Amino acid sequence: MDPAELVTDSNACFHINLVRPSSASKKPQRILGEPFHPAFTYSIFGEAEAVVGYKDPQIHLDFRANDLQPSIQIKHKGKEDLSSILPDQQHDLDTIFNEHLPPSAFGPTEEAPDADPVPDPTSPSWKPPGSLLHSFTLHGKQYEIWRTSLSDPAAKALWLNMQILVMLFIEGASALELEEAWSLQRWSLYLLYEVTPLKATAVSPYTIAGFSTSYRYWVFPTFEVMRAIKSLPSPPASSNGDATTFSPPRLTQDPDTYLITNTIDPLEEPSRERISQFLVLPPYQGQSLGAKLYETIFGYLVKKKNIYEIAVEDPNEGFDAMRDYCDIVYLRSLPAFQALALASTLPPSDLRKDAPVPRDKILGNGQDLTALRHETKIVPRQFNRMVELHLLSTIPPNNRNTARITRKDKSSNENDRKYYFWRLALKDRIYRKNADELEQLEDAAEKVDRIEEVVNSQQDEYKDLLQGIDKRAKWDTAKKVQKGERSKAKRKRVIVDDDEDDDSEDKDGESVASSKKVKI
């Protein structure tokens, strides 16, 4: 047998589909007409991402649409030992998935006597674990987003079923550590489902479309943190105007053991929430569902009083673009953010060469940017980018040209001065972030050129983002108008969305999270 026939792209021969739940007597039917393929299989087959030693291998991995119960079938037309030619690259297809899938994926298994009971996935009354956060209609389809804690046995079982999807579609992902109960409580799972009306009443209508996780970290309750989450106690007012002594609540102890008897919920203490694994399945991509999922997660977390910041773990370019749009739409809905304006003049003392760049005066122009960031709970790097992006949009495009700012703050045109100050604030942020690298450059002119290069690159990125945001906003507006006209013409019942109920970003320092950034 030709050795070339025994090396196959592991992504291409790997087929993933969804099936409807059914009774044991019926064979599950696949939902998708065309299966989809993994983006990455190196975590299973190694960096070469190749199935070695098998002729025409076919890997079919099906997931039950509602609870993600996996089922795997592996076929091939022959097997040869190529370990002498390709050492460490040949894997046994019969066992390679054992550590990535639960035992039930390979055939029926007996449930352990002490296993936690989970809802019957074949029941038409099956619902996702946890609570419903949001329901909405998009492109004529109904969707729901649910949130649950991984401490829920049903949620943990569902996650163990689906965790291989994280490895197959999120680059650099790793399996969650779920051994400790205290860790499980800190993990949240968000599930995006399409709710499909089905003629067969004995089948659950839920079909997974995407998911995300988030993890809650305790943060040291500094005055800044406690002030941001509005947990600093205020002394009671005095009738005569004098300050009175405030006595904070005291912890109580058991007189015999001296143990603290107060009950403290660590999940309600000052925390930073980090959005981690985030995925919309390929058949559902390109439909704005990722934005809906992110907005729902962010909207839920921003209302939590004890959450200090909402971070994202190692976002890729696609997530960054979606997040930028969602964040700028959210921020522009806040009156304090809408009131931000670029300064067109600054006192001479602030423009001296030995004076620090007055970034807050330039961008805030009277607004407290730190207080605004704490209100939005967006991490510093992302918030700074959104402020810069928004304020750049307030400068007419014709004035966003370095040839117009040769006179710097002395320019006669107000918008030219604003543009000069905007670039000055951006340079200050870039310099601070890359100060260590820049200090290693002995040539001052080279240092200036490098900063200018990065600033120009960042401005170009902002320009592309603004164009994308404008297109998205026009598309959303047109869609709403079209939907309104259609509803009015047909006089159908209106469904109202119910929204009531490399370095990590969660470090205090800023980090470059998008590979589109120019590093210096």
Side-chain angles (χ1 to χ4, degrees), residues 1 5-6 8 53-58 75-79:
M1 191 179 295
E5 296 181 356
L6 300 174
T8 308
Y54 294 85
K55 182 180 179 180
D56 193 19
Q58 296 292 316
K75 301 177 181 179
H76 57 84
K77 295 181 180 179
K79 178 181 179 181

Side-chain angles (χ1 to χ4, degrees), residues 261-513:
T261 58
N262 301 73
T263 301
I264 298 176
D265 184 355
L267 299 181
E268 296 301 323
E269 294 301 301
S271 303
R272 178 182 284 113
E273 192 93 4
R274 179 198 284 177
I275 297 173
S276 189
Q277 297 88 353
F278 188 102
L279 176 65
V280 174
L281 297 183
Y284 290 93
Q285 292 176 5
Q287 304 176 45
S288 300
L289 288 171
K292 285 288 188 180
L293 180 57
Y294 174 79
E295 290 169 352
T296 302
I297 296 172
F298 187 91
Y300 169 77
L301 294 175
V302 80
K303 296 175 184 176
K304 303 290 288 184
K305 180 180 177 182
N306 64 307
I307 300 296
Y308 170 62
E309 283 180 347
I310 304 169
V312 177
E313 182 178 7
D314 298 331
N316 60 22
E317 288 188 23
F319 185 92
D320 269 337
M322 177 271 294
R323 178 194 189 190
D324 287 341
Y325 173 78
C326 294
D327 284 352
I328 199 67
V329 169
Y330 162 68
L331 289 169
R332 283 175 171 175
S333 70
L334 304 178
F337 190 86
Q338 291 179 350
L340 294 180
L342 281 165
S344 59
T345 58
L346 288 174
S349 58
D350 287 336
L351 297 175
R352 291 166 41 195
K353 291 185 177 181
D354 59 345
V357 174
R359 178 180 168 86
D360 286 353
K361 288 184 179 180
I362 293 173
L363 302 179
N365 198 16
Q367 295 282 336
D368 187 340
L369 291 179
T370 300
L372 180 56
R373 185 181 72 79
H374 286 158
E375 178 186 347
T376 63
K377 303 188 179 183
I378 297 176
V379 292
R381 171 190 172 272
Q382 178 69 359
F383 182 80
N384 289 333
R385 291 181 68 254
M386 292 300 97
V387 169
E388 294 163 359
L389 175 70
H390 173 67
L391 292 179
L392 178 63
S393 72
T394 65
I395 303 174
N398 291 337
N399 296 93
R400 304 172 196 169
N401 191 327
T402 55
R404 298 179 59 98
I405 56 174
T406 54
R407 298 185 68 241
K408 301 180 179 180
D409 61 301
K410 306 297 183 183
S411 175
S412 60
N413 187 293
E414 179 184 23
N415 286 317
D416 289 340
R417 296 196 302 272
K418 289 182 177 181
Y419 177 59
Y420 167 72
F421 288 140
W422 180 86
R423 285 181 65 91
L424 187 64
L426 179 56
K427 289 178 184 178
D428 177 66
R429 180 172 71 84
I430 290 173
Y431 179 85
R432 289 176 182 274
K433 187 174 66 174
N434 301 278
D436 292 339
E437 292 86 344
L438 289 169
E439 289 302 323
Q440 298 177 13
L441 301 177
E442 297 181 0
D443 187 349
E446 181 182 2
K447 187 183 300 184
V448 171
D449 290 342
R450 298 294 289 275
I451 294 178
E452 288 288 340
E453 177 187 354
V454 179
V455 169
N456 291 336
S457 176
Q458 182 68 85
Q459 181 176 332
D460 289 341
E461 182 186 339
Y462 286 160
K463 177 183 176 182
D464 293 340
L465 281 172
L466 288 173
Q467 290 176 347
I469 290 168
D470 289 342
K471 289 181 180 178
R472 179 73 172 269
K474 291 177 182 177
W475 179 76
D476 283 344
T477 301
K479 184 177 64 174
K480 290 177 181 178
V481 171
Q482 184 180 17
K483 180 179 178 181
E485 291 175 350
R486 183 169 62 249
S487 299
K488 183 178 180 180
K490 295 185 178 181
R491 297 184 181 277
K492 286 188 174 181
R493 178 175 58 89
V494 178
I495 300 176
V496 181
D497 291 351
D498 181 10
D499 195 19
E500 293 190 3
D501 245 327
D502 324 290
D503 302 334
S504 294
E505 287 188 336
D506 53 359
K507 294 182 180 178
D508 291 335
E510 296 177 9
S511 63
V512 178

